Amino acid sequence: MRPVSPWQWSPLGLLLFLLCCSCMGSPSPSTAPEKKAGSQGLRFRLAGFPRKPFEGRVEIQRAGEWGTICDDDFTLQAAHVLCRELGFTEATGWTHSAKYGPGTGRIWLDNLSCSGTEQSVTECASRGWGNSDCTHDEDAGVICKNQRLPGFSDSNVIEVEHHLQVEEVRLRPAVGRGRRPLPVTEGLVEVRLPDGWSQVCDKGWSSHNSHVVCGMLGFPSEKRVNTAFYRLLAQRQQHSFGLHGVACMGTEAHLSLCSLEFYRANDTTRCPGGAPAVVSCVPGLLYAASSGQKKQQQSKPQGEVRVRLKGGSHPGEGRVEVLKAGTWGTVCDRKWDLQAASVVCRELGFGSAREALSGARMGQGMGAIHLSEVRCSGQEPSLWRCPHKNITAEDCSHSQDAGVRCNLPYTGVETKIRLSGGRSRYEGRVEVQTGGPGPLRWGLICGDGWGTLEAMVACRQLGLGYANHGLQETWYWDSGNITDVVMSGVRCTGTELSLDQCAHHGIHIACKRTEARFTAGVICSETASDLLLHSALVQETAYIEDRPLHMLYCAAEENCLASSARSANWPYGHRRLLRFSSQIHNLGRADFRPKAGRHSWVWHECHGHYHSMDIFTHYDILTPNGTKVAEGHKASFCLEDTECQEEVAKRYECANFGEQGITVGCWDLYRHDIDCQWIDITDVKPGNYILQVVINPNFEVAESDFTNNAMKCNCKYDGHRIWVHNCHIGDAFSEEANRRFERYPGQTSNQIV
């Protein structure tokens, strides 16, 4: 599509155009635009979400109907003209593809072409008013300089400070109905306007409106509410109404995207015959207001989960992954928007989406990309119900993985925990608030058993992301006036939203070391690493080697053989070794660094370099029922960047006492032919087994996700040969597929000799 230029006009039209230009002279920029006849009858405003008062989707009212502008051929010059129409001095940027949300109604202008010096948008070339082949997914927006034109006063501009500026919503519980636990799920709707909090008139209030409000507050759905009580209550109270005429379709991610009408400041007839709008929301499973609700919801049959979030540092955010044919994969960010993101959030038990993230903002996935060009209306119960395009490897890459940030209910858990004594707000001794019938008090947590998983929960509760370290001794941090230990025996899985949800001792405190110096501490971080094993490489490189004992002296010194090797007839005989390569990728958003500092690294003479981690990976052979029959006694590891993705530079290497670690976007390769990269299976009897590899098994180093640290393979050993197949990351399959995990290879397995 191209703009209509004067050179495409008829000869008569071109002559008139030239005569007009000669009369007008060359236009020049103006700081106070003069009213032109062409702009009479037009009104302008900024709309959409999220935005500031000087940016948004451009909307024009013509003939009493509001409409938008298509982004085809839109430029910064056109944005300059529109910003001046809105009373700003100039534009600093413009947006395309409905960044502030799709509008409604007509698309008034398409192929808008301005030089930037026009005094009115009517002077710019276009396809003509109302002539467009665009959709609202192509609505244009502007970002104006936050500086007003001097003396600008134009009744044709709807003041953006008061238009669509509902940026926050809350529910106020009814007075006299008892103290409600958090989160608040029912109450009077209040919106924050520039002049404070106001209530909303319930005239014409619909379930669609309630659905949008609940989504903003972090709840996936709404339910009917008994308004009789609230109407009776309204007769006894005074109310301040600031908003009426709310009309949502129910698909909006934010109330600002609905059609809204605000009361004028001097309007004395506010909400006649009406009452404050009331909403009741249904919390997701994670946020059920009481244990009774949670048990009731859990008792309902749950279908297989087909959507999940990975890599987020806070609840309700992460890379979107979907389940297809029993395998998890990612979603391409093409055409990814708030509607699709909101479907994901509600499906997972959160509210609507705050942000639809693109460009792998939550880290890159690994493996399949299942969906692309997902187009949701916002009403779908699942992302899989939205129209989408199946994808091939050539269509998209993991650098385009889509993500979301969801609205969450306010639970107040962050007010029950704090840090003290640290050098920054991200570290310190953990203090928690406890108390039952008596007064609330702050106290410390016993350091016994406190580790990375417990620290992860504490950092999540604090809203500080991940845990770099969980500390059992905090003598170097001043505890201030708090010295009492009020919680002990804390054991977390790492997924809890607060320490209260972890197992811990009750009223009786049991702590081996009661001094304040031995209490729990954390060091938190907004980012973390995420290690993942390349499972296909294990399957491709596995083989058996009968290695003579005289070649294994170094390995024996490093305890890389089974215990029976000690009684072997050295140097005669051999050991049977299952060898394979392991390639460990860091797909997180922070480098993986060993927990130990250089001062405690160990020099290994056989390998000729320092090892920074004693336990980095476990190699095991298991029976189908999980009994361990052999293990790789790899003594310790040296971490380095063997290879990296394009445009990622290596940072770590083992040679010459170099820094050790794995950079984001790089991987550490342990080749099958190096010492100790094996499992000694000399004593293993023929049978069906599982080969299991676990990275960072003791959670010594923080990661954003520990569920993908294990890899499993089926293997069949007949005493001479071994077959290895079906290697996969522990959480790459669905739960059902994992339950069906084969215990022996089929006839089509790759035979490894």
Side-chain angles (χ1 to χ4, degrees):
M1 290 176 284
R2 294 178 298 170
V4 178
S5 71
W7 308 112
Q8 296 171 294
W9 295 349
S10 65
L12 178 59
L14 180 59
L15 178 61
L16 291 173
F17 172 79
L18 294 173
L19 287 172
C20 181
C21 289
S22 65
C23 294
M24 293 175 59
S26 300
S28 59
S30 172
T31 56
E34 176 186 351
K35 291 300 298 178
K36 293 289 179 182
S39 62
Q40 294 291 339
L42 299 182
R43 306 178 77 192
F44 299 87
R45 71 185 184 190
L46 293 173
F49 175 83
R51 65 181 184 84
K52 297 180 177 67
F54 49 85
E55 66 175 284
R57 181 178 64 247
V58 181
E59 296 191 349
I60 304 175
Q61 188 185 56
R62 185 174 187 268
E65 184 178 355
W66 285 100
T68 62
I69 301 175
C70 181
D71 61 14
D72 287 344
D73 296 333
F74 199 90
T75 63
L76 185 62
Q77 285 69 35
H80 282 314
V81 176
L82 288 163
C83 283
R84 289 198 296 270
E85 293 268 28
L86 290 158
F88 298 97
T89 56
E90 61 181 333
T92 60
W94 65 279
T95 65
H96 59 86
S97 305
K99 176 185 175 180
Y100 299 102
T104 57
R106 300 281 292 275
I107 297 177
W108 278 123
L109 294 173
D110 190 3
N111 296 113
L112 183 65
S113 178
C114 305
S115 68
T117 59
E118 294 85 353
Q119 296 183 3
S120 170
V121 72
T122 59
E123 299 174 15
C124 300
S126 70
R127 292 168 62 103
W129 288 97
N131 183 14
S132 172
D133 59 358
C134 298
T135 68
H136 282 297
D137 291 331
E138 301 169 84
D139 283 344
V142 295
I143 305 168
C144 302
K145 186 175 182 180
N146 192 17
Q147 181 178 344
R148 283 293 191 173
L149 289 169
F152 182 87
S153 177
D154 191 346
S155 60
N156 287 349
V157 176
I158 304 298
E159 289 298 321
V160 296
E161 286 82 4
H162 292 279
H163 181 72
L164 292 179
Q165 284 297 294
V166 177
E167 296 188 2
E168 194 173 348
V169 175
R170 70 185 183 189
L171 296 181
R172 183 164 60 84
V175 177
R177 300 193 70 181
R179 182 180 177 182
R180 293 190 173 194
L182 294 175
V184 176
T185 59
E186 181 178 304
L188 307 178
V189 180
E190 294 186 339
V191 295
R192 187 165 63 85
L193 303 178
D195 55 352
W197 287 94
S198 296
Q199 293 174 341
V200 183
C201 181
D202 70 350
K203 279 194 170 183
W205 189 266
S206 67
S207 60
H208 292 322
N209 299 346
S210 298
H211 191 67
V212 174
V213 169
C214 288
M216 287 181 64
L217 294 171
F219 303 110
S221 59
E222 77 293 343
K223 64 180 179 180
R224 294 185 63 181
V225 61
N226 181 10
T227 58
F229 169 80
Y230 289 94
R231 282 191 168 271
L232 181 63
L233 183 68
Q235 297 174 6
R236 304 176 183 175
Q237 296 180 339
Q238 290 186 343
H239 300 280
S240 172
F241 295 103
L243 182 62
H244 71 93
V246 179
C248 301
M249 295 183 291
T251 59
E252 297 87 349
H254 196 280
L255 202 64
S256 292
L257 299 174
C258 302
S259 176
L260 305 176
E261 294 183 47
F262 295 83
Y263 287 103
R264 294 185 179 89
N266 58 356
D267 193 342
T268 58
T269 61
R270 298 195 173 194
C271 203
V278 181
V279 165
S280 183
C281 305
V282 179
L285 188 61
L286 279 176
Y287 300 95
S290 67
S291 58
Q293 278 185 300
K294 188 173 289 188
K295 289 177 181 177
Q296 183 180 0
Q297 290 194 29
Q298 288 176 337
S299 65
K300 296 179 181 179
Q302 299 288 327
E304 186 175 43
V305 176
R306 300 190 66 193
V307 178
R308 70 185 184 188
L309 300 181
K310 289 280 190 175
S313 57
H314 303 280
E317 71 174 28
R319 179 178 64 251
V320 178
E321 296 191 351
V322 294
L323 186 65
K324 181 180 180 181
T327 304
W328 288 98
T330 62
V331 177
C332 183
D333 62 8
R334 290 181 185 171
K335 298 187 178 180
W336 187 249
D337 58 15
L338 276 176
Q339 276 69 38
S342 292
V343 170
V344 169
C345 290
R346 292 184 189 271
E347 184 176 358
L348 292 171
F350 304 109
S352 51
R354 285 192 295 117
E355 282 187 87
L357 304 173
S358 58
R361 291 265 303 278
M362 290 295 169
Q364 295 188 22
M366 193 173 179
I369 302 174
H370 286 328
L371 301 179
S372 179
E373 298 185 22
V374 181
R375 305 302 290 165
C376 300
S377 69
Q379 296 175 322
E380 296 84 355
S382 170
L383 192 69
W384 284 102
R385 299 288 185 88
C386 301
H388 59 268
K389 175 183 175 183
N390 293 323
I391 194 165
T392 63
E394 293 76 23
D395 293 330
C396 204
S397 68
H398 282 297
S399 64
Q400 298 169 268
D401 283 343
V404 298
R405 283 196 178 101
C406 305
N407 287 316
L408 307 180
Y410 176 71
T411 60
V413 294
E414 69 275 13
T415 64
K416 299 179 180 179
I417 186 173
R418 66 190 185 191
L419 300 181
S420 66
R423 297 162 296 183
S424 72
R425 72 186 187 95
Y426 285 93
E427 67 177 29
R429 199 169 267 166
V430 181
E431 297 179 1
V432 291
Q433 191 180 60
T434 60
L440 299 176
R441 63 173 181 147
W442 288 94
L444 304 171
I445 299 176
C446 178
D448 294 347
W450 182 266
T452 302
L453 297 181
E454 290 72 31
M456 285 181 67
V457 176
C459 290
R460 181 180 299 118
Q461 185 176 353
L462 286 159
L464 298 178
Y466 303 109
N468 270 347
H469 298 288
L471 307 168
Q472 296 184 3
E473 294 186 29
T474 52
W475 53 268
Y476 38 81
W477 284 333
D478 180 19
S479 62
N481 297 324
I482 304 295
T483 58
D484 293 338
V485 174
V486 297
M487 183 180 287
S488 63
V490 181
R491 293 291 183 276
C492 303
T493 64
T495 60
E496 295 87 351
L497 297 177
S498 69
L499 291 174
D500 284 339
Q501 296 179 357
C502 300
H504 58 86
H505 296 156
I507 299 176
H508 176 67
I509 303 299
C511 196
K512 295 178 182 177
R513 299 174 294 183
T514 57
E515 301 95 327
R517 59 176 293 180
F518 297 114
T519 52
V522 296
I523 301 176
C524 303
S525 172
E526 286 290 339
T527 58
S529 59
D530 185 19
L531 298 186
L532 200 66
L533 190 70
H534 186 8
S535 56
L537 184 65
V538 174
Q539 182 169 321
E540 293 167 4
T541 58
Y543 65 96
I544 284 180
E545 178 190 9
D546 288 330
R547 194 165 182 81
L549 281 173
H550 70 83
M551 300 175 66
L552 292 172
Y553 278 105
C554 181
E557 289 177 12
E558 296 192 7
N559 198 29
C560 294
L561 301 175
S563 57
S564 61
R566 298 193 190 103
S567 57
N569 185 22
W570 293 79
Y572 307 103
H574 67 272
R575 303 298 294 181
R576 175 158 289 184
L577 309 174
L578 171 60
R579 311 193 71 151
F580 52 87
S581 298
S582 64
Q583 185 172 296
I584 300 166
H585 293 247
N586 182 3
L587 299 181
R589 291 190 287 156
D591 294 352
F592 185 94
R593 299 298 309 277
K595 184 176 182 180
R598 283 176 176 239
H599 63 280
S600 59
W601 293 358
V602 178
W603 172 260
H604 280 254
E605 190 64 37
C606 291
H607 296 163
H609 52 230
Y610 284 91
H611 285 189
S612 59
M613 291 189 69
D614 290 336
I615 301 175
F616 177 57
T617 308
H618 279 172
Y619 303 148
D620 298 314
I621 297 290
L622 311 175
T623 64
N625 64 8
T627 302
K628 185 186 299 186
V629 295
E631 61 182 338
H633 292 270
K634 193 167 176 61
S636 55
F637 295 78
C638 175
L639 307 181
E640 67 177 4
D641 296 327
T642 308
E643 293 183 56
C644 299
Q645 299 170 0
E646 291 184 14
E647 301 182 357
V648 178
K650 297 180 181 179
R651 298 183 59 187
Y652 306 107
E653 63 177 355
C654 295
N656 301 320
F657 200 34
E659 288 288 343
Q660 294 193 22
I662 306 176
T663 304
V664 175
C666 299
W667 54 90
D668 189 2
L669 175 63
Y670 283 86
R671 287 175 51 90
H672 58 84
D673 55 356
I674 66 174
D675 261 1
C676 300
Q677 184 60 34
W678 62 56
I679 301 177
D680 185 348
I681 61 170
T682 305
D683 305 320
V684 175
K685 297 178 181 179
N688 299 317
Y689 298 99
I690 295 172
L691 167 62
Q692 178 175 278
V693 179
V694 183
I695 308 168
N696 195 15
N698 294 347
F699 314 115
E700 287 189 5
V701 179
E703 295 187 52
S704 62
D705 185 7
F706 288 112
T707 62
N708 58 11
N709 282 26
M711 184 221 69
K712 297 184 292 185
C713 303
N714 291 127
C715 55
K716 180 181 177 66
Y717 177 52
D718 66 0
H720 305 283
R721 297 165 298 178
I722 195 166
W723 291 262
V724 176
H725 79 128
N726 206 15
C727 294
H728 65 281
I729 300 302
D731 69 341
F733 288 172
S734 67
E735 291 184 11
E736 181 182 355
N738 273 321
R739 285 193 295 268
R740 296 198 312 263
F741 184 63
E742 295 178 83
R743 304 305 182 188
Y744 53 89
Q747 296 298 320
T748 60
S749 305
N750 296 326
Q751 179 175 319
I752 312 298
V753 180

